[in-house]
Amino acid sequence: MSLPKVLCFHLILMLSAFTGAANGYYYSRWTKCIHSSRDLSDMVYIDNYIFNKDVHIQFNSTVGEYVGYTAHGVYNAELYNKDPNQLQQERAQVETYCKYNAKNRQSAIADKTVAPKVKLSSVKQAGGRHPAVLMCSAYRFYPHGIQVTWMKDDKPVKSDVTSTEEMPNGDWYYQIHSHLEYTPKSGEKISCMVDHAGLTKPIIVDWDPSLPESERNKIAIGASGLVLGIIITAAGLIYYKKKSSGRILVPT
Ligand SMILES: *[C@@H]1O[C@H](CO)[C@@H](O)[C@H](O)[C@H]1NC(C)=O
């Protein structure tokens, strides 16, 4: 299992629009804590002073002091750098703010695992020269790093398999969908095996080749229609027979 390589936390400290119009002026200050190692030793703290979309002053903990990017920014960065209190406070942020929060997040989120749910479904049924397509979906798992394997009679299949990337849902969970193209053979067992850090042993789901529910419904609806048709036709015929035989009885 691989942990998210970079946990990057943005915090908008201040955001203010100077006019009520949609195209206002935006002054914002964004801080970021960036790290990729588990022991947080490579933590970098970035403090951006932004006007509209331009960073005019930045504090980067690796650099250790403020850097200005516009005339106004350079002027103020120099002022900030001359203030030992401000500089000391800013330099301490990488420990007191970044590492402190990252430790909490690591134990509350990053170190947790959530096992995937697995679903096997038919995408396309075999017909004519077309092979059948099955889809194996694993979803709501965390973190990313999952193995989806197709098996025919318990032997892994490599060919005719296409898979999506592990897609982030945006809520910390991930999902993945793998497709298998195959020509159904009677007696052959098709399974999807999923392994993930949140599981003690892999989940194996066997494909049930009996007709899926939607197909059964279609057949049921079709059959009901046919029976109804036959009843109406029969009723019509009987009615017609009765009428015509009744007519014969009445002499004209
Ligand atoms: C912070 O500064 C270091 C050293 O100059 C640099 O390598 C790194 O890219 C900077 N980080 C950001 C996010 O600008």
Side-chain angles (χ1 to χ4, degrees):
M1 132 187 170
S2 66
L3 275 162
K5 277 286 170 284
V6 176
L7 295 175
C8 182
F9 303 109
H10 304 235
L11 182 69
I12 301 178
L13 289 178
M14 206 200 316
L15 182 69
S16 60
F18 292 121
T19 72
N23 298 316
Y25 299 104
Y26 292 93
Y27 173 75
S28 59
R29 201 172 145 196
W30 288 26
T31 59
K32 300 182 185 182
C33 298
I34 307 166
H35 72 104
S36 57
S37 74
R38 277 195 60 104
D39 62 3
L40 314 181
S41 58
D42 62 350
M43 183 68 81
V44 178
Y45 167 70
I46 306 286
D47 186 2
N48 285 320
Y49 293 70
I50 302 163
F51 186 68
N52 286 341
K53 287 183 176 174
D54 299 319
V55 176
H56 59 101
I57 300 176
Q58 184 179 74
F59 179 88
N60 173 334
S61 62
T62 313
V63 177
E65 57 179 26
Y66 292 94
V67 175
Y69 294 99
T70 61
H72 175 261
V74 169
Y75 172 79
N76 281 289
E78 264 173 31
L79 281 183
Y80 297 170
N81 285 333
K82 278 186 195 143
D83 182 343
N85 268 342
Q86 184 167 351
L87 210 51
Q88 193 198 338
Q89 265 183 21
E90 192 78 340
R91 284 174 180 163
Q93 293 292 322
V94 70
E95 291 293 331
T96 56
Y97 168 61
C98 290
K99 291 192 186 176
Y100 176 79
N101 284 313
K103 261 181 223 148
N104 289 341
R105 289 196 174 97
Q106 191 117 294
S107 58
I109 303 167
D111 288 347
K112 289 226 159 72
T113 58
V114 180
K117 299 186 191 328
V118 182
K119 204 177 129 192
L120 204 49
S121 55
S122 164
V123 176
K124 211 162 43 176
Q125 281 182 292
R129 273 160 285 133
H130 306 292
V133 180
L134 287 183
M135 178 169 73
C136 183
S137 303
Y139 52 98
R140 266 185 86 81
F141 60 88
Y142 182 85
H144 64 79
I146 196 164
Q147 262 181 304
V148 179
T149 315
W150 287 97
M151 293 191 298
K152 277 184 187 165
D153 291 328
D154 301 325
K155 281 186 214 78
V157 187
K158 289 269 156 60
S159 54
D160 301 322
V161 173
T162 51
S163 179
T164 64
E165 301 281 308
E166 295 179 51
M167 300 179 286
N169 292 359
D171 58 1
W172 290 92
Y173 293 115
Y174 289 85
Q175 57 178 300
I176 190 169
H177 306 274
S178 177
H179 292 85
L180 172 74
E181 272 191 23
Y182 75 110
T183 310
K185 285 190 204 112
S186 75
E188 186 175 58
K189 189 174 84 175
I190 307 243
S191 335
C192 174
M193 181 169 75
V194 174
D195 203 1
H196 180 260
L199 296 166
T200 45
K201 63 181 173 61
I203 296 178
I204 298 175
V205 182
D206 295 331
W207 173 240
D208 176 6
S210 59
L211 287 176
E213 198 179 345
S214 62
E215 291 303 308
R216 278 203 301 270
N217 286 346
K218 274 185 213 158
I219 290 171
I221 291 167
S224 317
L226 186 65
V227 169
L228 200 65
I230 289 170
I231 291 172
I232 291 170
T233 311
L237 269 177
I238 291 165
Y239 180 72
Y240 174 76
K241 277 263 169 81
K242 278 231 170 120
K243 263 244 155 131
S244 50
S245 59
R247 251 189 224 125
I248 292 161
L249 284 178
V250 179
T252 48

